[in-house]
Each structure stands twice: as structure tokens, then as C-alpha cells.
Amino acid sequence: MAATPADVKELPGAYAFVVDMPGLGSGDIKVQVEDERVLVISGERRREEKEDARYLRMERRMGKLMRKFVLPDNADMEKVSAVCRDGVLTVSVQKLPPPEPKKPKTIQVQVA
Amino acid sequence: MAATPADVKELPGAYAFVVDMPGLGSGDIKVQVEDERVLVISGERRREEKEDARYLRMERRMGKLMRKFVLPDNADMEKVSAVCRDGVLTVSVQKLPPPEPKKPKTIQVQVA
């Protein structure tokens, strides 16, 4: 299970996980959220086999690729989307709205 | 100028040069034949910049990519084609037809 390079970006309203996956189309890539907090991106790259091909050079690594990312506390697991383009997968995870600031509690002063 | 992994295959009628170029579309890649014998594949990968993005992780290498391959003697420089799909570029170079076998030369025997 090989790793593949990734960038992680924080935007004002979301996190973006950008992963190089050359040779994989959107149908070859699996994006999952495990344990409610771990983003798992996986795929398998297979060499296109032709019986009559003879390899003179073979540098491109094949096989299973996987990356895991622990999501921050304010990631919204229900709002995850993924787009693949030119062999680069971008998974966007929206942020939860920040918790409402606690209003100061006013205690009424009774007249004694 | 960084390298990027490549495979080279020999097929019965052609050579295929397969190069990982994640994030590059066909418009970003240049394929040239130099000195009538050297195949040069180049491109530049730029990080998509957003002013309000903060990088939490940055593993993907950016910048110029280049690979050069000396073509075999029987490569036909006039028959080169290139296709880019899912961040993988495949350049096909057809082979020249093999030279015709020399026919045995028949010398007519004259009657003395």
C-alpha cells in the first residue's frame, strides 16, 4: 500500500485535501469517512497490460494507494464532496458553523 | 527541473512513452523532437493559489517537469502522437518499416 503526495489546505469555510492520483479516473477512487473522524482515500493503479508489449523502462509504481487524514473537530462529516481532474483528487469538507457565543446571563436584582 | 516517473514500452509496430503528469492538462504539456532523435516531454505544474488558503500540509511538488528519451534508430519521427488522460501522458512513436531484405542477385551465366 503506497502513499501518494497530498496537500491539505484550510479555507475560511472548508478544508481541502488534494491528492495526486495519476492514471486513476473517478471510478477507480474510493473516498470514505471512518470512525466519524478519519478521511480515507484509496484507489488501485494497474498497469495497462498488452500481451505484445515489452517494457524497456518501468518506473511508474502500480498497486494500491491510500491516504488517511484525521479530520479537525469542526469538520462537517455530512458535507464532504470529491472531484477528480487530470489525475488529481480534491476532497472538500465543509466546516461546521462556530458555536454561538454564550450570551451573558443577566440576574435580576430584586429589591430587598 | 524535476523528473517524473515514466514507462517505456516496445510494441510490434511502435514505441510508447508513458509519463505521470498529475494535474497537467493537455494544454500544459509540450512534446518535442530535438536533434531528430531526442523526444522531450515538458510541462509546468503550478499550485492553485487562493489568497485565503492556509496550507496545513504541502507534499505535492510543483514547478517544471521534464523527461528526455533518445529514440531508437527505427523510430519514425514523422509519426509521433500524444494523448493525455487522468494526468498520464502517452506518446506513441511509430516504427519505420524494416528495410527490405536484399534480394540475391542473379548473374546470368553466359554460354562460352
Side-chain angles (χ1 to χ4, degrees), chain B residues 32-49:
Chain B
Q32 292 171 296
V33 177
E34 279 180 2
D35 304 330
E36 296 190 15
R37 183 108 347 252
V38 182
L39 177 68
V40 182
I41 296 167
S42 59
E44 187 166 357
R45 192 153 103 125
R46 290 185 189 86
R47 215 172 286 277
E48 200 184 287
E49 290 302 348

Side-chain angles (χ1 to χ4, degrees), chain B residues 60-77:
Chain B
R60 297 166 64 236
R61 288 181 69 179
M62 296 290 138
K64 287 186 179 155
L65 294 171
M66 179 152 74
R67 288 303 300 256
K68 289 188 178 194
F69 303 95
V70 177
L71 291 168
D73 286 342
N74 66 341
D76 188 343
M77 309 300 148

Side-chain angles (χ1 to χ4, degrees), chain A residues 7 10 47 54 59, chain B residues 7 10 47 54 59 67:
Chain A
D7 291 345
E10 184 177 358
R47 214 174 288 275
R54 188 167 71 95
E59 297 169 358
Chain B
D7 291 345
E10 183 176 359
R47 215 172 286 277
R54 188 167 73 95
E59 297 168 357
R67 288 303 300 256

Side-chain angles (χ1 to χ4, degrees), chain A residues 28-41:
Chain A
D28 307 317
I29 300 172
K30 200 157 75 173
V31 178
Q32 292 172 296
V33 178
E34 279 180 1
D35 303 330
E36 294 189 19
R37 184 112 339 258
V38 182
L39 177 68
V40 181
I41 296 167

Side-chain angles (χ1 to χ4, degrees), chain A residues 4-12 15 18-25 45 47-48 50 52-60 62 67 69 85-88, chain B residues 4-12 15 18-25 45 47-48 50 52-60 62 67 69 85-88:
Chain A
T4 179
D7 291 345
V8 181
K9 290 189 281 193
E10 184 177 358
L11 297 159
Y15 296 96
V18 187
V19 186
D20 280 348
M21 296 205 137
L24 295 188
R45 192 153 103 125
R47 214 174 288 275
E48 200 185 287
K50 282 190 181 174
D52 49 2
R54 188 167 71 95
Y55 277 85
L56 306 178
R57 186 184 283 267
M58 199 186 265
E59 297 169 358
R60 297 166 64 235
M62 296 290 139
R67 287 304 300 256
F69 303 96
R85 198 182 158 205
D86 294 334
V88 177
Chain B
T4 179
D7 291 345
V8 181
K9 290 188 281 193
E10 183 176 359
L11 297 159
Y15 296 97
V18 187
V19 186
D20 280 349
M21 295 204 137
L24 295 187
R45 192 153 103 125
R47 215 172 286 277
E48 200 184 287
K50 282 191 184 175
D52 49 2
R54 188 167 73 95
Y55 276 86
L56 306 178
R57 187 184 282 267
M58 199 187 265
E59 297 168 357
R60 297 166 64 236
M62 296 290 138
R67 288 303 300 256
F69 303 95
R85 198 182 158 204
D86 294 334
V88 177

Side-chain angles (χ1 to χ4, degrees), chain A residues 40-82:
Chain A
V40 181
I41 296 167
S42 59
E44 187 167 359
R45 192 153 103 125
R46 290 186 190 87
R47 214 174 288 275
E48 200 185 287
E49 290 301 347
K50 282 190 181 174
E51 276 180 22
D52 49 2
R54 188 167 71 95
Y55 277 85
L56 306 178
R57 186 184 283 267
M58 199 186 265
E59 297 169 358
R60 297 166 64 235
R61 287 181 71 179
M62 296 290 139
K64 286 185 180 155
L65 294 171
M66 179 152 73
R67 287 304 300 256
K68 288 189 179 193
F69 303 96
V70 177
L71 290 169
D73 287 341
N74 66 341
D76 187 343
M77 310 300 150
E78 304 302 316
K79 291 185 181 160
V80 181
S81 61

